[in-house]
Amino acid sequence: MTRSIARAGLAALALTVSGCALTFDSTELGVPASVAESAQNPPQGTAFRVTRHPVFLLWGLVPVSRPSAEDVLAGQVGTGARIANLRIKVRSRWSDLLITALSFGAIVPRSVTFEGVVVPH
C-alpha cells in the first residue's frame, strides 16, 4: 500500500514538473530582439507590455492555445525597428489557480507577459 502511494506521488510530481512548459525560440521571431542592453546607455523608445492567456489540458500536458511571440512582437515593431530589453514572464494568476483547482487539473490556464522597448532605427 505504501509503495502504491509513493508511486502515485512520484507520478503526480513528474506531471507537475513537466506540464505547461513553454518554449520561445528567438530564431523565429522575425524581428531583431535583444534580451539585455547596456545599463550605461538604456534604449530610447516606446515601452510595451502585452499579456496573452494560453490554456492547457490534463495537468498541462496538452496545449490548447499557445502564445505566439512572433505575432506579439510583430504587432509592436514597425519597419526598421527592433526590440530591446525583451522579457517574457510566465505565471499563474490566482484566477488561473482557481480554475485549475476547480477542474482538478483538467484545465490549466497561464498568463504570459511580453515586455520590452521598441527602438526605432
Side-chain angles (χ1 to χ4, degrees), residues 42-94:
Q44 300 297 318
T46 307
F48 70 91
R49 180 180 183 154
V50 178
T51 301
R52 296 288 185 248
H53 303 283
V55 177
F56 297 86
L57 298 177
L58 303 174
W59 303 279
L61 296 175
V62 180
V64 174
S65 65
R66 297 184 141 227
S68 173
E70 299 86 14
D71 292 343
V72 170
L73 297 180
Q76 300 299 318
V77 177
T79 57
R82 67 183 180 91
I83 301 287
N85 292 343
L86 177 63
R87 295 189 328 170
I88 302 173
K89 297 179 190 176
V90 180
R91 67 183 192 282
S92 294
R93 298 174 301 165
W94 69 270

mmCIF file of all heavy atoms in Angstrom, residues 42-94:
data_model
loop_
_atom_site.group_PDB
_atom_site.id
_atom_site.type_symbol
_atom_site.label_atom_id
_atom_site.label_comp_id
_atom_site.label_asym_id
_atom_site.label_seq_id
_atom_site.Cartn_x
_atom_site.Cartn_y
_atom_site.Cartn_z
ATOM 1 N N PRO A 42 20.740 53.109 -21.647
ATOM 2 C CA PRO A 42 19.459 52.405 -21.801
ATOM 3 C C PRO A 42 18.827 52.753 -23.145
ATOM 4 O O PRO A 42 19.006 53.854 -23.661
ATOM 5 C CB PRO A 42 18.615 52.924 -20.641
ATOM 6 C CG PRO A 42 19.255 54.189 -20.213
ATOM 7 C CD PRO A 42 20.697 54.111 -20.586
ATOM 8 N N PRO A 43 18.103 51.809 -23.723
ATOM 9 C CA PRO A 43 17.493 52.058 -25.036
ATOM 10 C C PRO A 43 16.404 53.131 -24.943
ATOM 11 O O PRO A 43 15.652 53.190 -23.973
ATOM 12 C CB PRO A 43 16.914 50.706 -25.423
ATOM 13 C CG PRO A 43 16.720 49.993 -24.145
ATOM 14 C CD PRO A 43 17.787 50.491 -23.219
ATOM 15 N N GLN A 44 16.351 53.967 -25.955
ATOM 16 C CA GLN A 44 15.339 55.018 -26.039
ATOM 17 C C GLN A 44 14.283 54.576 -27.047
ATOM 18 O O GLN A 44 14.602 54.276 -28.192
ATOM 19 C CB GLN A 44 15.978 56.338 -26.490
ATOM 20 C CG GLN A 44 17.057 56.850 -25.566
ATOM 21 C CD GLN A 44 16.513 57.180 -24.189
ATOM 22 O OE1 GLN A 44 15.435 57.752 -24.061
ATOM 23 N NE2 GLN A 44 17.240 56.794 -23.162
ATOM 24 N N GLY A 45 13.056 54.517 -26.594
ATOM 25 C CA GLY A 45 11.980 54.102 -27.475
ATOM 26 C C GLY A 45 10.676 54.004 -26.717
ATOM 27 O O GLY A 45 10.531 54.533 -25.616
ATOM 28 N N THR A 46 9.748 53.290 -27.286
ATOM 29 C CA THR A 46 8.420 53.123 -26.706
ATOM 30 C C THR A 46 8.331 51.782 -25.985
ATOM 31 O O THR A 46 8.526 50.730 -26.600
ATOM 32 C CB THR A 46 7.346 53.178 -27.814
ATOM 33 O OG1 THR A 46 7.527 54.369 -28.573
ATOM 34 C CG2 THR A 46 5.956 53.136 -27.226
ATOM 35 N N ALA A 47 8.024 51.842 -24.700
ATOM 36 C CA ALA A 47 7.873 50.612 -23.918
ATOM 37 C C ALA A 47 6.533 49.955 -24.242
ATOM 38 O O ALA A 47 5.550 50.638 -24.537
ATOM 39 C CB ALA A 47 7.972 50.913 -22.438
ATOM 40 N N PHE A 48 6.497 48.639 -24.195
ATOM 41 C CA PHE A 48 5.247 47.913 -24.411
ATOM 42 C C PHE A 48 5.144 46.767 -23.417
ATOM 43 O O PHE A 48 6.133 46.303 -22.864
ATOM 44 C CB PHE A 48 5.135 47.383 -25.848
ATOM 45 C CG PHE A 48 6.077 46.256 -26.155
ATOM 46 C CD1 PHE A 48 5.683 44.945 -25.973
ATOM 47 C CD2 PHE A 48 7.356 46.513 -26.628
ATOM 48 C CE1 PHE A 48 6.552 43.904 -26.261
ATOM 49 C CE2 PHE A 48 8.218 45.483 -26.917
ATOM 50 C CZ PHE A 48 7.828 44.181 -26.733
ATOM 51 N N ARG A 49 3.908 46.352 -23.196
ATOM 52 C CA ARG A 49 3.610 45.213 -22.318
ATOM 53 C C ARG A 49 2.328 44.565 -22.842
ATOM 54 O O ARG A 49 1.274 45.195 -22.867
ATOM 55 C CB ARG A 49 3.428 45.698 -20.890
ATOM 56 C CG ARG A 49 3.133 44.605 -19.928
ATOM 57 C CD ARG A 49 2.956 45.158 -18.533
ATOM 58 N NE ARG A 49 2.732 44.063 -17.626
ATOM 59 C CZ ARG A 49 3.010 44.095 -16.364
ATOM 60 N NH1 ARG A 49 3.518 45.174 -15.836
ATOM 61 N NH2 ARG A 49 2.773 43.054 -15.616
ATOM 62 N N VAL A 50 2.446 43.308 -23.270
ATOM 63 C CA VAL A 50 1.311 42.575 -23.832
ATOM 64 C C VAL A 50 1.176 41.258 -23.070
ATOM 65 O O VAL A 50 2.153 40.544 -22.878
ATOM 66 C CB VAL A 50 1.522 42.290 -25.341
ATOM 67 C CG1 VAL A 50 0.375 41.478 -25.909
ATOM 68 C CG2 VAL A 50 1.703 43.585 -26.107
ATOM 69 N N THR A 51 -0.045 40.937 -22.643
ATOM 70 C CA THR A 51 -0.287 39.692 -21.912
ATOM 71 C C THR A 51 -1.205 38.793 -22.724
ATOM 72 O O THR A 51 -2.221 39.239 -23.253
ATOM 73 C CB THR A 51 -0.921 39.971 -20.541
ATOM 74 O OG1 THR A 51 -0.041 40.815 -19.789
ATOM 75 C CG2 THR A 51 -1.154 38.689 -19.755
ATOM 76 N N ARG A 52 -0.834 37.531 -22.832
ATOM 77 C CA ARG A 52 -1.634 36.504 -23.501
ATOM 78 C C ARG A 52 -1.978 35.426 -22.467
ATOM 79 O O ARG A 52 -1.287 35.264 -21.470
ATOM 80 C CB ARG A 52 -0.876 35.872 -24.665
ATOM 81 C CG ARG A 52 -0.557 36.832 -25.771
ATOM 82 C CD ARG A 52 -1.835 37.177 -26.536
ATOM 83 N NE ARG A 52 -1.543 38.012 -27.681
ATOM 84 C CZ ARG A 52 -1.916 39.272 -27.783
ATOM 85 N NH1 ARG A 52 -2.563 39.842 -26.797
ATOM 86 N NH2 ARG A 52 -1.646 39.964 -28.853
ATOM 87 N N HIS A 53 -3.031 34.675 -22.737
ATOM 88 C CA HIS A 53 -3.512 33.664 -21.793
ATOM 89 C C HIS A 53 -3.643 32.302 -22.486
ATOM 90 O O HIS A 53 -4.721 31.942 -22.961
ATOM 91 C CB HIS A 53 -4.854 34.096 -21.203
ATOM 92 C CG HIS A 53 -4.789 35.424 -20.527
ATOM 93 N ND1 HIS A 53 -4.238 35.589 -19.285
ATOM 94 C CD2 HIS A 53 -5.163 36.659 -20.940
ATOM 95 C CE1 HIS A 53 -4.293 36.865 -18.956
ATOM 96 N NE2 HIS A 53 -4.842 37.539 -19.941
ATOM 97 N N PRO A 54 -2.543 31.526 -22.536
ATOM 98 C CA PRO A 54 -2.634 30.185 -23.123
ATOM 99 C C PRO A 54 -3.382 29.236 -22.187
ATOM 100 O O PRO A 54 -3.441 29.459 -20.975
ATOM 101 C CB PRO A 54 -1.180 29.764 -23.281
ATOM 102 C CG PRO A 54 -0.455 30.533 -22.233
ATOM 103 C CD PRO A 54 -1.190 31.841 -22.110
ATOM 104 N N VAL A 55 -3.940 28.176 -22.758
ATOM 105 C CA VAL A 55 -4.687 27.181 -21.991
ATOM 106 C C VAL A 55 -4.126 25.797 -22.310
ATOM 107 O O VAL A 55 -3.826 25.493 -23.462
ATOM 108 C CB VAL A 55 -6.196 27.234 -22.326
ATOM 109 C CG1 VAL A 55 -6.962 26.158 -21.581
ATOM 110 C CG2 VAL A 55 -6.761 28.614 -22.004
ATOM 111 N N PHE A 56 -3.987 24.993 -21.272
ATOM 112 C CA PHE A 56 -3.518 23.618 -21.410
ATOM 113 C C PHE A 56 -4.563 22.691 -20.797
ATOM 114 O O PHE A 56 -5.372 23.106 -19.976
ATOM 115 C CB PHE A 56 -2.182 23.427 -20.678
ATOM 116 C CG PHE A 56 -1.073 24.254 -21.240
ATOM 117 C CD1 PHE A 56 -0.881 25.559 -20.819
ATOM 118 C CD2 PHE A 56 -0.225 23.742 -22.195
ATOM 119 C CE1 PHE A 56 0.130 26.332 -21.338
ATOM 120 C CE2 PHE A 56 0.792 24.499 -22.727
ATOM 121 C CZ PHE A 56 0.970 25.800 -22.296
ATOM 122 N N LEU A 57 -4.531 21.437 -21.209
ATOM 123 C CA LEU A 57 -5.424 20.420 -20.657
ATOM 124 C C LEU A 57 -4.610 19.326 -19.986
ATOM 125 O O LEU A 57 -3.428 19.152 -20.281
ATOM 126 C CB LEU A 57 -6.292 19.810 -21.763
ATOM 127 C CG LEU A 57 -7.238 20.751 -22.490
ATOM 128 C CD1 LEU A 57 -7.971 20.006 -23.591
ATOM 129 C CD2 LEU A 57 -8.225 21.389 -21.544
ATOM 130 N N LEU A 58 -5.258 18.576 -19.128
ATOM 131 C CA LEU A 58 -4.679 17.402 -18.478
ATOM 132 C C LEU A 58 -3.357 17.726 -17.786
ATOM 133 O O LEU A 58 -2.311 17.205 -18.125
ATOM 134 C CB LEU A 58 -4.505 16.261 -19.492
ATOM 135 C CG LEU A 58 -5.779 15.836 -20.212
ATOM 136 C CD1 LEU A 58 -5.452 14.821 -21.281
ATOM 137 C CD2 LEU A 58 -6.792 15.300 -19.226
ATOM 138 N N TRP A 59 -3.434 18.600 -16.796
ATOM 139 C CA TRP A 59 -2.289 18.982 -15.969
ATOM 140 C C TRP A 59 -1.164 19.625 -16.768
ATOM 141 O O TRP A 59 0.001 19.515 -16.435
ATOM 142 C CB TRP A 59 -1.760 17.801 -15.158
ATOM 143 C CG TRP A 59 -2.807 17.203 -14.306
ATOM 144 C CD1 TRP A 59 -3.230 17.641 -13.099
ATOM 145 C CD2 TRP A 59 -3.586 16.057 -14.607
ATOM 146 N NE1 TRP A 59 -4.239 16.848 -12.639
ATOM 147 C CE2 TRP A 59 -4.470 15.854 -13.548
ATOM 148 C CE3 TRP A 59 -3.618 15.181 -15.685
ATOM 149 C CZ2 TRP A 59 -5.380 14.816 -13.517
ATOM 150 C CZ3 TRP A 59 -4.532 14.152 -15.662
ATOM 151 C CH2 TRP A 59 -5.392 13.971 -14.584
ATOM 152 N N GLY A 60 -1.518 20.252 -17.871
ATOM 153 C CA GLY A 60 -0.536 20.945 -18.680
ATOM 154 C C GLY A 60 0.125 20.121 -19.761
ATOM 155 O O GLY A 60 1.048 20.587 -20.412
ATOM 156 N N LEU A 61 -0.318 18.915 -19.974
ATOM 157 C CA LEU A 61 0.321 18.052 -20.963
ATOM 158 C C LEU A 61 -0.108 18.330 -22.398
ATOM 159 O O LEU A 61 0.652 18.106 -23.333
ATOM 160 C CB LEU A 61 0.053 16.581 -20.626
ATOM 161 C CG LEU A 61 0.650 16.096 -19.309
ATOM 162 C CD1 LEU A 61 0.213 14.663 -19.039
ATOM 163 C CD2 LEU A 61 2.154 16.192 -19.350
ATOM 164 N N VAL A 62 -1.339 18.820 -22.593
ATOM 165 C CA VAL A 62 -1.871 19.031 -23.934
ATOM 166 C C VAL A 62 -2.152 20.524 -24.131
ATOM 167 O O VAL A 62 -3.043 21.076 -23.476
ATOM 168 C CB VAL A 62 -3.174 18.229 -24.148
ATOM 169 C CG1 VAL A 62 -3.735 18.456 -25.543
ATOM 170 C CG2 VAL A 62 -2.952 16.757 -23.871
ATOM 171 N N PRO A 63 -1.402 21.196 -25.013
ATOM 172 C CA PRO A 63 -1.674 22.622 -25.243
ATOM 173 C C PRO A 63 -2.899 22.821 -26.118
ATOM 174 O O PRO A 63 -3.046 22.171 -27.154
ATOM 175 C CB PRO A 63 -0.411 23.115 -25.946
ATOM 176 C CG PRO A 63 0.177 21.904 -26.570
ATOM 177 C CD PRO A 63 -0.218 20.735 -25.718
ATOM 178 N N VAL A 64 -3.803 23.688 -25.706
ATOM 179 C CA VAL A 64 -4.975 24.043 -26.497
ATOM 180 C C VAL A 64 -4.674 25.322 -27.271
ATOM 181 O O VAL A 64 -4.927 25.411 -28.460
ATOM 182 C CB VAL A 64 -6.219 24.229 -25.602
ATOM 183 C CG1 VAL A 64 -7.400 24.737 -26.413
ATOM 184 C CG2 VAL A 64 -6.568 22.933 -24.909
ATOM 185 N N SER A 65 -4.132 26.302 -26.582
ATOM 186 C CA SER A 65 -3.706 27.543 -27.231
ATOM 187 C C SER A 65 -2.351 27.922 -26.660
ATOM 188 O O SER A 65 -2.094 27.745 -25.483
ATOM 189 C CB SER A 65 -4.727 28.660 -26.990
ATOM 190 O OG SER A 65 -4.773 28.985 -25.618
ATOM 191 N N ARG A 66 -1.492 28.435 -27.518
ATOM 192 C CA ARG A 66 -0.147 28.842 -27.111
ATOM 193 C C ARG A 66 0.057 30.302 -27.499
ATOM 194 O O ARG A 66 -0.408 30.720 -28.549
ATOM 195 C CB ARG A 66 0.918 27.989 -27.792
ATOM 196 C CG ARG A 66 0.836 26.549 -27.428
ATOM 197 C CD ARG A 66 1.971 25.784 -28.052
ATOM 198 N NE ARG A 66 2.395 24.824 -27.044
ATOM 199 C CZ ARG A 66 3.639 24.604 -26.700
ATOM 200 N NH1 ARG A 66 4.608 25.245 -27.274
ATOM 201 N NH2 ARG A 66 3.931 23.731 -25.768
ATOM 202 N N PRO A 67 0.794 31.044 -26.682
ATOM 203 C CA PRO A 67 1.084 32.428 -27.075
ATOM 204 C C PRO A 67 2.166 32.436 -28.154
ATOM 205 O O PRO A 67 3.128 31.685 -28.093
ATOM 206 C CB PRO A 67 1.595 33.049 -25.783
ATOM 207 C CG PRO A 67 2.191 31.908 -25.034
ATOM 208 C CD PRO A 67 1.345 30.710 -25.381
ATOM 209 N N SER A 68 2.009 33.267 -29.141
ATOM 210 C CA SER A 68 2.973 33.352 -30.226
ATOM 211 C C SER A 68 3.817 34.604 -30.031
ATOM 212 O O SER A 68 3.322 35.726 -30.199
ATOM 213 C CB SER A 68 2.252 33.398 -31.567
ATOM 214 O OG SER A 68 3.176 33.647 -32.594
ATOM 215 N N ALA A 69 5.085 34.411 -29.688
ATOM 216 C CA ALA A 69 5.991 35.546 -29.519
ATOM 217 C C ALA A 69 6.154 36.283 -30.834
ATOM 218 O O ALA A 69 6.263 37.516 -30.857
ATOM 219 C CB ALA A 69 7.343 35.069 -28.996
ATOM 220 N N GLU A 70 6.145 35.558 -31.939
ATOM 221 C CA GLU A 70 6.296 36.178 -33.247
ATOM 222 C C GLU A 70 5.165 37.163 -33.529
ATOM 223 O O GLU A 70 5.395 38.280 -33.980
ATOM 224 C CB GLU A 70 6.335 35.117 -34.352
ATOM 225 C CG GLU A 70 7.484 34.145 -34.246
ATOM 226 C CD GLU A 70 7.171 32.950 -33.330
ATOM 227 O OE1 GLU A 70 5.989 32.727 -32.991
ATOM 228 O OE2 GLU A 70 8.112 32.260 -32.945
ATOM 229 N N ASP A 71 3.932 36.747 -33.256
ATOM 230 C CA ASP A 71 2.781 37.611 -33.514
ATOM 231 C C ASP A 71 2.776 38.828 -32.598
ATOM 232 O O ASP A 71 2.482 39.937 -33.031
ATOM 233 C CB ASP A 71 1.477 36.834 -33.348
ATOM 234 C CG ASP A 71 1.290 35.773 -34.412
ATOM 235 O OD1 ASP A 71 1.980 35.851 -35.450
ATOM 236 O OD2 ASP A 71 0.476 34.858 -34.194
ATOM 237 N N VAL A 72 3.085 38.618 -31.334
ATOM 238 C CA VAL A 72 3.086 39.723 -30.375
ATOM 239 C C VAL A 72 4.145 40.752 -30.749
ATOM 240 O O VAL A 72 3.879 41.957 -30.797
ATOM 241 C CB VAL A 72 3.317 39.206 -28.938
ATOM 242 C CG1 VAL A 72 3.559 40.357 -27.980
ATOM 243 C CG2 VAL A 72 2.127 38.378 -28.482
ATOM 244 N N LEU A 73 5.356 40.298 -31.035
ATOM 245 C CA LEU A 73 6.440 41.232 -31.336
ATOM 246 C C LEU A 73 6.259 41.887 -32.700
ATOM 247 O O LEU A 73 6.567 43.062 -32.874
ATOM 248 C CB LEU A 73 7.783 40.526 -31.257
ATOM 249 C CG LEU A 73 8.136 39.995 -29.866
ATOM 250 C CD1 LEU A 73 9.486 39.312 -29.890
ATOM 251 C CD2 LEU A 73 8.095 41.089 -28.827
ATOM 252 N N ALA A 74 5.741 41.151 -33.673
ATOM 253 C CA ALA A 74 5.498 41.732 -34.992
ATOM 254 C C ALA A 74 4.438 42.828 -34.907
ATOM 255 O O ALA A 74 4.499 43.811 -35.647
ATOM 256 C CB ALA A 74 5.074 40.659 -35.980
ATOM 257 N N GLY A 75 3.496 42.684 -33.996
ATOM 258 C CA GLY A 75 2.474 43.710 -33.803
ATOM 259 C C GLY A 75 3.008 44.959 -33.140
ATOM 260 O O GLY A 75 2.387 46.022 -33.209
ATOM 261 N N GLN A 76 4.147 44.883 -32.488
ATOM 262 C CA GLN A 76 4.739 46.032 -31.800
ATOM 263 C C GLN A 76 5.732 46.796 -32.666
ATOM 264 O O GLN A 76 5.920 47.987 -32.497
ATOM 265 C CB GLN A 76 5.442 45.576 -30.523
ATOM 266 C CG GLN A 76 4.555 44.891 -29.523
ATOM 267 C CD GLN A 76 3.435 45.799 -29.050
ATOM 268 O OE1 GLN A 76 3.629 46.971 -28.784
ATOM 269 N NE2 GLN A 76 2.233 45.255 -28.983
ATOM 270 N N VAL A 77 6.394 46.090 -33.581
ATOM 271 C CA VAL A 77 7.510 46.666 -34.328
ATOM 272 C C VAL A 77 7.070 47.063 -35.724
ATOM 273 O O VAL A 77 6.423 46.300 -36.426
ATOM 274 C CB VAL A 77 8.664 45.638 -34.420
ATOM 275 C CG1 VAL A 77 9.805 46.185 -35.249
ATOM 276 C CG2 VAL A 77 9.145 45.281 -33.037
ATOM 277 N N GLY A 78 7.462 48.263 -36.126
ATOM 278 C CA GLY A 78 7.237 48.705 -37.492
ATOM 279 C C GLY A 78 8.465 48.374 -38.324
ATOM 280 O O GLY A 78 9.380 47.683 -37.885
ATOM 281 N N THR A 79 8.515 48.889 -39.526
ATOM 282 C CA THR A 79 9.667 48.630 -40.388
ATOM 283 C C THR A 79 10.876 49.391 -39.871
ATOM 284 O O THR A 79 10.786 50.541 -39.470
ATOM 285 C CB THR A 79 9.365 49.064 -41.833
ATOM 286 O OG1 THR A 79 8.998 50.449 -41.817
ATOM 287 C CG2 THR A 79 8.257 48.241 -42.428
ATOM 288 N N GLY A 80 12.003 48.714 -39.856
ATOM 289 C CA GLY A 80 13.248 49.343 -39.442
ATOM 290 C C GLY A 80 13.408 49.507 -37.956
ATOM 291 O O GLY A 80 14.276 50.249 -37.510
ATOM 292 N N ALA A 81 12.620 48.859 -37.142
ATOM 293 C CA ALA A 81 12.731 48.968 -35.689
ATOM 294 C C ALA A 81 13.196 47.638 -35.112
ATOM 295 O O ALA A 81 13.222 46.617 -35.796
ATOM 296 C CB ALA A 81 11.387 49.375 -35.087
ATOM 297 N N ARG A 82 13.562 47.679 -33.847
ATOM 298 C CA ARG A 82 13.984 46.460 -33.153
ATOM 299 C C ARG A 82 13.422 46.467 -31.735
ATOM 300 O O ARG A 82 12.955 47.494 -31.251
ATOM 301 C CB ARG A 82 15.510 46.351 -33.130
ATOM 302 C CG ARG A 82 16.190 47.407 -32.299
ATOM 303 C CD ARG A 82 17.707 47.279 -32.374
ATOM 304 N NE ARG A 82 18.345 48.304 -31.578
ATOM 305 C CZ ARG A 82 18.691 48.166 -30.293
ATOM 306 N NH1 ARG A 82 18.452 47.029 -29.677
ATOM 307 N NH2 ARG A 82 19.265 49.157 -29.652
ATOM 308 N N ILE A 83 13.496 45.313 -31.087
ATOM 309 C CA ILE A 83 13.041 45.160 -29.703
ATOM 310 C C ILE A 83 14.266 45.096 -28.801
ATOM 311 O O ILE A 83 15.189 44.320 -29.055
ATOM 312 C CB ILE A 83 12.214 43.869 -29.517
ATOM 313 C CG1 ILE A 83 10.997 43.858 -30.429
ATOM 314 C CG2 ILE A 83 11.813 43.680 -28.071
ATOM 315 C CD1 ILE A 83 9.906 44.794 -30.021
ATOM 316 N N ALA A 84 14.275 45.884 -27.740
ATOM 317 C CA ALA A 84 15.357 45.859 -26.754
ATOM 318 C C ALA A 84 14.779 45.489 -25.391
ATOM 319 O O ALA A 84 13.604 45.742 -25.107
ATOM 320 C CB ALA A 84 16.044 47.216 -26.674
ATOM 321 N N ASN A 85 15.607 44.905 -24.562
ATOM 322 C CA ASN A 85 15.237 44.516 -23.190
ATOM 323 C C ASN A 85 13.967 43.652 -23.155
ATOM 324 O O ASN A 85 13.066 43.876 -22.348
ATOM 325 C CB ASN A 85 15.062 45.731 -22.292
ATOM 326 C CG ASN A 85 16.358 46.449 -22.035
ATOM 327 O OD1 ASN A 85 17.429 45.895 -22.245
ATOM 328 N ND2 ASN A 85 16.270 47.690 -21.585
ATOM 329 N N LEU A 86 13.918 42.668 -24.015
ATOM 330 C CA LEU A 86 12.758 41.774 -24.079
ATOM 331 C C LEU A 86 12.723 40.876 -22.844
ATOM 332 O O LEU A 86 13.721 40.255 -22.482
ATOM 333 C CB LEU A 86 12.818 40.913 -25.342
ATOM 334 C CG LEU A 86 11.706 39.885 -25.501
ATOM 335 C CD1 LEU A 86 10.348 40.578 -25.609
ATOM 336 C CD2 LEU A 86 11.958 39.019 -26.708
ATOM 337 N N ARG A 87 11.576 40.853 -22.188
ATOM 338 C CA ARG A 87 11.353 39.959 -21.054
ATOM 339 C C ARG A 87 10.051 39.203 -21.278
ATOM 340 O O ARG A 87 9.062 39.790 -21.715
ATOM 341 C CB ARG A 87 11.248 40.732 -19.733
ATOM 342 C CG ARG A 87 12.511 41.424 -19.371
ATOM 343 C CD ARG A 87 12.532 42.020 -17.997
ATOM 344 N NE ARG A 87 11.241 42.494 -17.523
ATOM 345 C CZ ARG A 87 11.024 42.867 -16.272
ATOM 346 N NH1 ARG A 87 11.991 42.800 -15.390
ATOM 347 N NH2 ARG A 87 9.843 43.300 -15.888
ATOM 348 N N ILE A 88 10.088 37.915 -21.003
ATOM 349 C CA ILE A 88 8.893 37.081 -21.121
ATOM 350 C C ILE A 88 8.650 36.450 -19.760
ATOM 351 O O ILE A 88 9.498 35.732 -19.234
ATOM 352 C CB ILE A 88 9.069 35.995 -22.200
ATOM 353 C CG1 ILE A 88 9.381 36.633 -23.548
ATOM 354 C CG2 ILE A 88 7.814 35.137 -22.286
ATOM 355 C CD1 ILE A 88 9.731 35.641 -24.631
ATOM 356 N N LYS A 89 7.502 36.743 -19.175
ATOM 357 C CA LYS A 89 7.142 36.210 -17.859
ATOM 358 C C LYS A 89 5.967 35.245 -18.007
ATOM 359 O O LYS A 89 4.954 35.593 -18.608
ATOM 360 C CB LYS A 89 6.716 37.330 -16.914
ATOM 361 C CG LYS A 89 7.774 38.339 -16.610
ATOM 362 C CD LYS A 89 7.200 39.391 -15.681
ATOM 363 C CE LYS A 89 8.117 40.565 -15.525
ATOM 364 N NZ LYS A 89 7.498 41.608 -14.692
ATOM 365 N N VAL A 90 6.107 34.064 -17.453
ATOM 366 C CA VAL A 90 5.024 33.081 -17.437
ATOM 367 C C VAL A 90 4.627 32.893 -15.986
ATOM 368 O O VAL A 90 5.462 32.582 -15.138
ATOM 369 C CB VAL A 90 5.474 31.739 -18.052
ATOM 370 C CG1 VAL A 90 4.331 30.736 -18.017
ATOM 371 C CG2 VAL A 90 5.973 31.932 -19.468
ATOM 372 N N ARG A 91 3.352 33.096 -15.686
ATOM 373 C CA ARG A 91 2.907 32.993 -14.301
ATOM 374 C C ARG A 91 1.476 32.460 -14.233
ATOM 375 O O ARG A 91 0.776 32.415 -15.240
ATOM 376 C CB ARG A 91 3.013 34.338 -13.601
ATOM 377 C CG ARG A 91 2.068 35.371 -14.133
ATOM 378 C CD ARG A 91 2.272 36.722 -13.452
ATOM 379 N NE ARG A 91 1.213 37.638 -13.747
ATOM 380 C CZ ARG A 91 1.064 38.327 -14.853
ATOM 381 N NH1 ARG A 91 1.913 38.170 -15.828
ATOM 382 N NH2 ARG A 91 0.062 39.153 -15.019
ATOM 383 N N SER A 92 1.087 32.108 -13.036
ATOM 384 C CA SER A 92 -0.294 31.705 -12.772
ATOM 385 C C SER A 92 -0.932 32.745 -11.861
ATOM 386 O O SER A 92 -0.455 32.963 -10.752
ATOM 387 C CB SER A 92 -0.336 30.338 -12.084
ATOM 388 O OG SER A 92 0.138 29.348 -12.931
ATOM 389 N N ARG A 93 -1.961 33.377 -12.340
ATOM 390 C CA ARG A 93 -2.702 34.318 -11.507
ATOM 391 C C ARG A 93 -3.579 33.516 -10.550
ATOM 392 O O ARG A 93 -3.767 32.310 -10.711
ATOM 393 C CB ARG A 93 -3.571 35.231 -12.368
ATOM 394 C CG ARG A 93 -2.759 36.091 -13.318
ATOM 395 C CD ARG A 93 -3.672 36.865 -14.233
ATOM 396 N NE ARG A 93 -4.484 35.911 -14.984
ATOM 397 C CZ ARG A 93 -5.566 36.209 -15.654
ATOM 398 N NH1 ARG A 93 -5.993 37.434 -15.701
ATOM 399 N NH2 ARG A 93 -6.235 35.284 -16.311
ATOM 400 N N TRP A 94 -4.155 34.186 -9.571
ATOM 401 C CA TRP A 94 -4.999 33.472 -8.612
ATOM 402 C C TRP A 94 -6.208 32.872 -9.322
ATOM 403 O O TRP A 94 -6.677 31.791 -8.975
ATOM 404 C CB TRP A 94 -5.416 34.377 -7.454
ATOM 405 C CG TRP A 94 -6.372 35.467 -7.853
ATOM 406 C CD1 TRP A 94 -6.080 36.718 -8.283
ATOM 407 C CD2 TRP A 94 -7.802 35.360 -7.884
ATOM 408 N NE1 TRP A 94 -7.225 37.396 -8.596
ATOM 409 C CE2 TRP A 94 -8.301 36.592 -8.339
ATOM 410 C CE3 TRP A 94 -8.701 34.341 -7.566
ATOM 411 C CZ2 TRP A 94 -9.658 36.826 -8.487
ATOM 412 C CZ3 TRP A 94 -10.056 34.600 -7.713
ATOM 413 C CH2 TRP A 94 -10.517 35.830 -8.168
#
